[in-house]
Structure formats: C-alpha cells, structure tokens
Amino acid sequence: MLSKRRWDAIVAIVSTVIAVALVFLFPPVTAARTAIALAAIVVFAAAYALIGRDAVEPPRAAWRYPAFLSVAAVAVGIGAGAAPFMAMLQTLAYPLVWVVGDSRRRGIGGSAVIAGSVFVGASFGYGPNLQSFLAGATTAVFSLSFAIAIGLWIAQIAEYGEERERLLAELTAAQGQVEALSRERGASAERERLARDIHDTLAQTLAGLVIFAERAGRQSREGQTDAAASTIATVEQVARDALAEARALVARTAAVPREPAFAAAVERLVERFRAQGRGAIVLDTAGVEGELDRETQVVLLRCLQEALSNAAKHAEADLVEVRVHVDPGGTASLEVADDGRGFEPDATGAGFGLDGMRERVALAGGTIQVASTAGHGTTLRVQLRPAREDAVLDAKEEAS
C-alpha cells in the first residue's frame, strides 16, 4: 500500500492536471460551469486532506469512510454535471474509496456510489434527455466495472503480500527456534564429550591415587617403610600424570585461536602436544593454499585435537603424522596417522571420542573415515567442503 505522502502527491498532481485541462483544453460551455467544476475539484481535494488522508493507513476511524465517500460522491456528481470532462475525477475517487474502505465489500459499495453519482451528474447536468442518460449510463457502467475489477485484483495482491509477510515472520521465528535448538544440542553434545573425557582421564586417575594412598598408609602402619616409600613414589608419578591429563583436557576445551592463517593455528596446536613429550609429531601443511571460514577451522582443529589426544593417551604411538590440505576452492582435508597399537573401530568405546568427532563433522556437512587394525596403528581422515558447495550439491540432490 502507498503511504500518505505518496497519496498526497498523487491527489495534488492529478487534481491540478484535471483543473488545467478543464480550463485550457476541455472548457464547459459557460464560465459558471467552469467555476462549479473547479469548485468540485477543490471540494474533493479538501475531503481527502481533511477526512480521507488519515484513513489511508491504519488505524482507521469508522466514521471517516462514510464521510469521505459522501463528500467525494457529491463532488464527483456535481463536477460531472458541470462538465463532461470532470468524469476524469473518477480516476482519484475509485482508488481512494478502496484504500479508505480497506475491504472488498466497502470498495465495491463505494465504487457503486461513485458510479451512481457520475450517472446522475452526467444525465441531469445538461438536461434529462435520452442522449444524456445513455452517456451517463455508459460512463458509469464501464468505469464501475473497471474499478471493481482493478480493485479486486489489487486487493488480492495486497492480501497475498500480507500472507507472505506473515509466513516470512513465522519462518523467521521457526529458524530462530531451530538455531536455539541447534545451540542447545551442540552444548549438550559438548558437555557429554567433556564428561566422557573427565571420566576416562581424571576420574580413573584419581581413583587410582586413592588406592595407592590407602596402600601406602597401610604399609606405613605395618612398618614396611621401603614398600611405603615405593608406593609414595608411584603416587607422585600418578599425580603428575593426572596433572598432565588435566592440562591436555583444558587444551582441548580452550577456544580455538582466532587466526586468519589456518596453517599457523594447526602448528600452534601441534606444538602443545609436542611439549607433552609423548612421541614425535610430524606436521605437513604444504598443501594449505586456500582460505577457510571460521566454522570449518573450528571443526578441523577440534578433530585434530581429539586425534592427537587419542594417539598419545590410548594408542601409545611413537610417531604421529599430520597432513593438512586446503585447495584454493576451500575444500579441506585432515589426515592423522599413528604407529600405535590400533583398535577395532566396530568395537570402539566412548573413550576414543570418535562419536563426538563424527557428530561435529556431520553437522558441518563433511565426511570422516577411521582405518585401524589392532597392532598396526590408526589413520583418521576428515574432509570438509566449502559451505557454498554444500548448498549447491544439496540443491542438485533435491532437484534430482
């Protein structure tokens, strides 16, 4: 719908054009009729400014529609009776009646009233004769038919627009709910992963410390000083291991470095695990050529963190080879291979963190492969496509 300012401009311009054309191009037979026709234009414009303008946009007072329709019908009828050219005032009257009425019923009824006033004015303005009746009836019927057809069409378009706006609002709200649910699901998955890590590392180590401490106390009470000293040394070593596990857990849950260069972030992460001294790590980032978005970097770095942690904690690997590749188009791949003791992927326990990695990669639209055999090491491969490529491929799959 047009705003008040646009309707102001339309009414002013069209009224001025009709008045100028009436005076200079299509003047009535007498000056009196010209004055009456010009007065009708002024009355119509005043009715819009004083009554109809505030009903163009909601909220609309109930009295404005019948008041504007009455004054507009009188102005159009008197104008058409004073000069046949004044029937052009219908070009303003019909659309304003539909806009101010704001409903199909009022629009059709108001159009009928305007058409009736045109018929009466045109029929009796130059005398009640057959020619005047035919001219007035023809003008009224054609203008009414055209006004109703256009009004219904525009009303349908307006309703369609309102329906689309409503559906868009519902879709936006639904998307917000989906995002909230996704965040909640991600947070829940992260809490579960953290709980598994704590259970598999700190909880088990602390349980072992309790057992060793009880043994050392019992040996000390029984006078077994050498055995108690040996157990205390074991407690110290287990405590150091627990401290290292806690630091590794903090490193895995810390925020990913906000670096634009993905290769630099990978090197920094690898250095963290090298500092633990649990085997050599060989890093190859020569294949990093393109740039990655923030989400893809997070997924790859989290997967690398988990893979290095597993290699050090479970596989007892002496050598870990890390290869990272990013092509210019944004497709990224990560490969982590170790020479550890391996495992059977189908019989994996939750402690390896593979379930969390699979969920994270799946949400990013990527693929993950784990190849491992007991006694022959493990190889992890992750591949992620750029977001725009995922969208194109999904669209092709839906189309097919």
Side-chain angles (χ1 to χ4, degrees):
M1 300 297 291
L2 297 178
S3 63
K4 291 181 180 180
R5 291 185 177 181
R6 292 189 177 183
W7 275 114
D8 293 345
I10 291 173
V11 172
I13 293 173
V14 175
S15 299
T16 302
V17 170
I18 293 176
V20 172
L22 177 70
V23 174
F24 296 101
L25 300 178
F26 307 100
V29 294
T30 64
R33 287 180 175 270
T34 301
I36 294 174
L38 292 175
I41 296 175
V42 173
V43 170
F44 183 90
Y48 163 77
L50 300 177
I51 303 174
R53 185 177 186 275
D54 287 337
V56 168
E57 298 175 352
R60 299 175 173 89
W63 64 271
R64 291 187 179 276
Y65 171 73
F68 174 75
L69 178 61
S70 301
V71 178
V74 171
V76 172
I78 293 175
F85 180 74
M86 283 296 296
M88 290 296 295
L89 201 57
Q90 296 173 101
T91 57
L92 279 177
Y94 284 127
L96 282 174
V97 165
W98 280 85
V99 171
V100 174
D102 194 34
S103 70
R104 283 188 172 89
R105 182 176 61 83
R106 287 186 172 187
I108 294 174
S111 297
V113 172
I114 296 297
S117 67
V118 171
F119 170 73
V120 173
S123 299
F124 294 91
Y126 285 85
N129 53 60
L130 181 60
Q131 184 177 0
S132 298
F133 278 112
L134 291 176
T138 301
T139 301
V141 169
F142 276 99
S143 62
L144 177 62
S145 302
F146 182 77
I148 292 177
I150 294 298
L152 292 175
W153 178 56
I154 294 176
Q156 184 176 4
I157 293 176
E159 290 177 356
Y160 175 71
E162 293 175 356
E163 179 67 13
R164 288 193 61 182
E165 184 177 356
R166 183 185 64 81
L167 292 176
L168 180 60
E170 293 179 357
L171 178 60
T172 302
Q175 288 177 339
Q177 294 177 356
V178 170
E179 291 178 359
L181 291 174
S182 298
R183 287 193 296 269
E184 292 177 2
R185 184 175 182 275
S188 176
E190 191 68 14
R191 287 193 296 268
E192 292 177 0
R193 185 194 67 79
L194 184 59
R196 289 196 302 267
D197 285 348
I198 293 175
H199 174 269
D200 294 340
T201 56
L202 294 179
Q204 294 180 2
T205 303
L206 292 175
L209 282 174
V210 172
I211 294 174
F212 286 125
E214 291 176 348
R215 180 187 300 175
R218 184 174 63 254
Q219 292 170 341
S220 178
R221 288 190 299 271
E222 294 175 355
Q224 304 176 16
T225 56
D226 292 341
S230 177
T231 303
I232 291 297
T234 303
V235 169
E236 180 181 356
Q237 182 58 43
V238 173
R240 292 182 184 278
D241 292 341
L243 179 60
E245 289 172 350
R247 288 174 175 172
L249 185 61
V250 171
R252 289 197 301 274
T253 56
V256 177
R258 293 180 175 270
E259 298 187 27
F262 176 61
V266 171
E267 292 175 359
R268 179 171 296 184
L269 178 59
V270 169
E271 284 300 323
R272 292 181 185 174
F273 285 88
R274 282 175 177 165
Q276 298 178 13
R278 294 191 178 184
I281 303 177
V282 178
L283 175 62
D284 181 9
T285 59
V288 178
E289 300 177 0
E291 295 292 335
L292 295 177
D293 60 85
R294 171 70 177 167
E295 295 301 324
T296 303
Q297 290 188 34
V298 170
V299 173
L300 290 179
L301 289 174
R302 291 304 189 199
C303 290
L304 178 58
Q305 286 176 341
E306 191 67 34
L308 292 176
S309 177
N310 289 339
K313 181 172 60 176
H314 298 289
E316 298 179 357
D318 295 324
L319 175 64
V320 181
E321 297 180 349
V322 179
R323 295 182 182 87
V324 183
H325 181 272
V326 181
D327 63 24
T331 299
S333 62
L334 168 69
E335 179 178 318
V336 182
D338 65 65
D339 61 352
R341 60 187 181 183
F343 64 97
E344 294 296 335
D346 295 336
T348 319
F352 287 99
L354 290 179
D355 292 339
M357 278 194 286
R358 288 193 177 100
E359 290 180 3
R360 189 185 295 275
V361 173
L363 289 174
T367 58
I368 181 171
Q369 297 177 346
V370 180
S372 182
T373 305
H376 294 85
T378 302
T379 301
L380 171 74
R381 294 184 181 89
V382 177
Q383 185 171 16
L384 296 175
R385 300 172 303 189
R388 57 180 180 278
E389 183 178 340
D390 289 342
V392 172
L393 292 178
D394 293 341
K396 290 182 178 178
E397 292 177 358
E398 293 178 359
S400 61

